[in-house]
Amino acid sequence: SRADVIKRGLEDKQLMFLLREAQLKFGRNLKQNESQLLVALYDDYGMDPSVILLLLQYAVREGKCNLSFVKKTAAFWLSQGVETVIDAERLIAETAKQNLAWSIVQNTFGIERRKPSAKEQELSNLWINEWKISADMLKAAYDACIDSKTKLSFAYVAKIIEVWHKDGITSPEQITAKKTKAKQQDKNGYAGYDLDLFEKMLNDD
């Protein structure tokens, strides 16, 4: 209850500081359910006040200073073992990298503005942040997929990019050169860029 929140604030100076700073970050008095959440994060989940305040600052910066976002983000941070401000800042930076990766894929593939599925986020992070795939290569894989499937298939694009990555292909020019070379060789001697092969690979999965 509100009385319980006030009592806890009077008992614990750190909690009182947290609640006062939270009001400043929100730019208004806290609602009862907001106060309850902050007390729960501090008392029940053992989050450090500095981590909670960073969480609120992050919510304000993202334009999502609401109970739902704070609760969801707090749960995520706790699941990732966040204990210090450094832990939280590292996770914020990683989240920003993943969001940027999805934004690049989203724009390149012409996908409407929406939240990615877990698999889409995983693949975007893999392509952009781990494999360093360029936007030009993403577009080439997308075009190959559309030419063959007439619609976007993340699984199909993933197969194409995986083969290119394993073969060290990093530019559309290299793809063109490989295709030209393949035409001069026996058809059974080179199938790495045969889209029929990708179709078979997908069907075999």
Side-chain angles (χ1 to χ4, degrees):
S1 67
R2 182 176 296 276
D4 293 326
V5 170
I6 294 173
K7 180 182 178 182
R8 282 294 297 119
L10 293 174
E11 293 171 346
D12 192 314
K13 291 183 179 180
Q14 280 200 94
L15 180 57
M16 178 61 75
F17 173 77
L18 169 62
L19 294 172
R20 286 175 177 170
E21 287 296 308
Q23 288 189 147
L24 292 175
K25 291 190 180 300
F26 276 68
R28 57 173 171 77
N29 291 331
L30 296 177
K31 299 175 183 177
Q32 184 173 342
N33 55 0
E34 293 169 341
S35 298
Q36 289 170 337
L37 175 60
L38 296 179
V39 172
L41 292 176
Y42 178 76
D43 275 349
D44 300 335
Y45 295 97
M47 288 188 78
D48 189 273
S50 61
V51 174
I52 298 174
L53 290 175
L54 179 60
L55 167 56
L56 298 182
Q57 181 178 320
Y58 175 56
V60 171
R61 191 172 71 224
E62 293 294 305
K64 299 177 180 179
C65 199
N66 58 71
L67 191 67
S68 176
F69 181 80
V70 172
K71 182 184 291 187
K72 182 178 179 180
T73 305
F76 177 61
W77 286 12
L78 288 168
S79 72
Q80 298 300 305
V82 169
E83 295 182 354
T84 67
V85 168
I86 293 176
D87 294 337
E89 289 177 337
R90 185 180 299 116
L91 192 57
I92 289 173
E94 181 60 31
T95 300
K97 283 179 60 179
Q98 292 187 10
N99 290 342
L100 178 60
W102 167 245
S103 179
I104 292 172
V105 170
Q106 188 177 48
N107 292 335
T108 303
F109 291 176
I111 300 172
E112 73 279 4
R113 302 296 297 177
R114 61 171 174 78
K115 186 176 181 180
S117 68
K119 189 62 177 181
E120 289 172 336
Q121 185 72 80
E122 177 188 341
L123 287 172
S124 298
N125 186 57
L126 174 67
W127 297 337
I128 303 300
N129 295 325
E130 295 185 31
W131 288 357
K132 310 299 182 184
I133 303 298
S134 69
D136 286 343
M137 288 295 287
L138 288 176
K139 184 63 165 58
Y142 171 81
D143 289 343
C145 175
I146 296 301
D147 288 344
S148 179
K149 308 287 286 184
T150 71
K151 64 180 181 180
L152 174 61
S153 166
F154 261 79
Y156 200 79
V157 170
K159 287 289 187 180
I160 296 173
I161 292 177
E162 181 181 358
V163 172
W164 288 349
H165 177 69
K166 287 181 178 179
D167 285 356
I169 304 300
T170 60
S171 71
E173 290 75 20
Q174 288 177 297
I175 298 172
T176 301
K178 283 285 187 180
K179 287 181 178 180
T180 300
K181 183 177 180 181
K183 290 179 181 179
Q184 299 171 352
Q185 297 175 343
D186 181 78
K187 291 183 178 180
N188 295 326
Y190 184 84
Y193 298 92
D194 186 344
L195 290 178
D196 290 337
L197 173 65
F198 291 124
E199 186 72 48
K200 183 177 185 304
M201 290 168 65
L202 288 173
N203 292 334
D204 288 345
D205 284 348

